[in-house]
């Protein structure tokens, strides 16, 4: 009887241990406050900032929402149509060019099939040539293109299929996450493009927008458009190359403002590529009124707009004789 009790106790300990490991990797809805999509991720997700290398030596500032599990990197990359690509095929061509520039030709996109999302067109590709392989889906929505990637996992695997099937252009849905698929622990592949790690987002606390990160670190709360909180600003320098190209219009910059009102992160997310760097350089010098939550200053994430307007050349005055 004593032996049976010890056996049951050991089994209970093992079960609790297995449950703890499983609960740490449970699937969760990722629905960023300032985005228009929701998707299931295998645990807390992170925001990565990078520059997508384009033709002509241009680089497009981007951000990616990512999570890692079992040797797979799960990514969602949103592209605003305004200021980026003119078509879904143009986006795919841009991705192919970026893969060639970043990976030295070690990766390629092999078309697999057409897909749809709520009636909207999309395409699925196999990320080939390099190791590990992956699957890429690109969708066209009303104002965005969305690129979903499982680098290290391909379509047909349980985790990848759950990730792709859960993506939607609305709030979190009712897709059943289920238990982890049981992939062996492994290091995920490195990012395809050079990136800098940004905010870590965990499960959302009910009283804090944006959630809280691991080890009790609180993520910035969402502040929406922050132009109304500017206390001092520096005018951007109009790049000569942009003037020559007659480039003008709005540039939207995503920023993280510190507890004291200083800008601690700035990345352009839309606008003419020739104007984005100048906008970011100016915004980094701006100051904002601090944001408080329950009386305490907190970091806030949001966007600001910078408007570039070309001055029309006035004709020389005419003289009457």
């Amino acid at each position: 009887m004593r032996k049976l009790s010890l056996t049951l106790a050991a089994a209970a300990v093992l079960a609790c241990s297995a449950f703890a490991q499983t609960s740490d990797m449970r699937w969760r809805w990722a629905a960023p406050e300032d985005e228009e999509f929701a998707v299931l991720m295998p645990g807390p997700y992170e925001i990565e900032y990078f520059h997508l290398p384009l033709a002509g030596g241009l680089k497009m500032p981007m951000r990616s929402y990512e999570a890692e599990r079992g040797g797979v990197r799960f990514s969602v990359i949103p592209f605003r149509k305004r200021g980026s690509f003119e078509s879904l095929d143009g986006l795919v061509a841009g991705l192919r060019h970026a893969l060639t520039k970043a990976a030295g030709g070690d990766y390629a996109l092999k078309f697999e099939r057409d897909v749809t999302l709520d009636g909207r067109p999309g395409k699925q590709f196999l990320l080939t040539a390099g190791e590990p392989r992956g699957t890429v889906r690109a969708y066209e929505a009303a104002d965005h293109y969305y690129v979903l990637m499982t680098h290290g996992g391909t379509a047909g695997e349980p985790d990848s299929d759950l990730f792709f099937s859960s993506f939607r252009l609305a709030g979190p849905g009712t897709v059943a996450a289920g238990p982890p698929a049981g992939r062996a622990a492994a290091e995920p592949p490195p990012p395809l493009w050079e990136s800098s790690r940004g905010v870590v987002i965990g499960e959302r606390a009910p009283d804090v927008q944006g959630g809280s990160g691991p080890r009790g670190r609180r993520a910035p709360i969402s502040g929406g458009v922050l132009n109304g909180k500017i206390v001092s600003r520096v005018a951007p320098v109009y790049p000569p190359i942009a003037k020559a190209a007659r480039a003008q219009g709005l540039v939207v910059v995503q920023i993280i403002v510190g507890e004291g009102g200083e800008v601690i992160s700035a990345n352009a997310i839309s606008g003419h590529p020739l104007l984005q760097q100048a906008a970011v350089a100016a915004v980094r010098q701006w100051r904002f009124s601090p944001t408080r939550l329950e009386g305490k200053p907190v970091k806030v994430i949001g966007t600001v707009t910078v408007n570039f307007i070309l001055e029309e050349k006035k004709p020389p005055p005419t003289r009457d004789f």
Side-chain angles (χ1 to χ4, degrees):
M1 185 68 179
R2 178 179 175 81
K3 183 177 181 180
L4 177 60
S5 299
L6 290 174
T7 302
L8 291 174
V13 170
L14 290 174
C16 290
S17 175
F19 175 78
Q21 294 177 6
T22 300
S23 63
D24 286 341
M25 295 190 298
R26 62 188 181 277
W27 289 79
R28 315 172 188 185
W29 280 106
E33 296 285 348
D34 53 349
E35 296 288 354
E36 300 174 345
F37 70 85
V39 69
L40 281 172
M41 288 281 201
Y45 67 90
E46 297 181 350
I47 304 175
E48 300 273 355
Y49 299 99
F50 63 96
H51 285 80
L52 193 73
L54 302 177
L58 297 176
K59 293 184 178 182
M60 180 182 294
M62 299 299 304
R63 61 179 171 180
S64 175
Y65 300 88
E66 304 196 349
E68 303 169 354
R69 179 172 173 269
V72 182
R73 181 184 295 272
F74 299 82
S75 306
V76 178
I77 310 174
F79 293 80
R80 295 185 186 274
K81 285 186 175 180
R82 183 176 178 179
S84 62
F85 300 98
E86 296 182 353
S87 66
L88 188 62
D89 289 336
L91 168 64
V92 173
L95 288 176
R96 285 196 166 111
H97 177 84
L99 286 170
T100 301
K101 294 291 289 185
D106 290 340
Y107 284 98
L109 291 179
K110 178 182 177 182
F111 176 76
E112 288 192 315
R113 61 188 177 93
D114 291 316
V115 293
T116 59
L117 176 66
D118 299 330
R120 301 182 184 277
K123 298 178 182 294
Q124 178 170 303
F125 301 86
L126 182 65
L127 190 62
T128 61
E131 291 293 341
R133 302 199 302 175
T135 295
V136 176
R137 280 191 186 179
Y139 290 111
E140 180 177 0
D143 300 316
H144 289 80
Y145 301 110
Y146 291 98
V147 173
L148 284 69
M149 182 183 302
T150 54
H151 190 195
T154 56
E157 297 179 358
D159 283 0
S160 296
D161 285 350
L162 177 58
F163 172 71
F164 287 124
S165 64
S166 69
F167 183 77
R168 60 199 62 222
L169 301 174
T174 58
V175 175
R183 290 180 62 100
E187 284 295 319
L192 291 170
W193 300 284
E194 184 178 352
S195 62
S196 58
R197 186 150 295 182
V199 184
V200 181
I201 309 294
E203 289 189 316
R204 292 181 182 175
D207 58 340
V208 180
Q209 286 183 302
S212 56
R215 301 180 183 90
R217 182 175 55 178
R218 174 173 287 179
I221 67 170
S222 176
V225 179
L226 299 175
N227 282 73
K229 303 196 70 173
I230 300 171
V231 266
S232 67
R233 71 175 76 202
V234 173
V237 177
Y238 217 121
I241 189 174
K243 284 186 177 181
R246 306 296 295 172
Q248 60 181 335
L250 290 175
V251 176
V252 179
V253 181
Q254 184 188 53
I255 59 174
I256 297 177
V257 179
E259 290 90 340
E262 74 284 3
V263 176
I264 59 178
S265 172
N267 292 272
I269 58 177
S270 72
H272 198 289
L274 295 178
L275 301 172
Q276 293 184 4
Q277 186 174 353
V280 169
V283 168
R284 288 185 185 276
Q285 303 175 68
W286 292 7
R287 298 281 298 186
F288 295 78
S289 58
T291 299
R292 295 180 176 275
L293 183 66
E294 298 177 353
K296 298 180 180 180
V298 294
K299 295 179 183 178
V300 61
I301 184 170
T303 59
V304 292
T305 56
V306 184
N307 196 11
F308 290 82
I309 303 175
L310 283 171
E311 293 183 0
E312 296 293 336
K313 292 184 178 180
K314 297 181 179 180
T318 59
R319 297 180 62 185
D320 295 329
F321 294 95

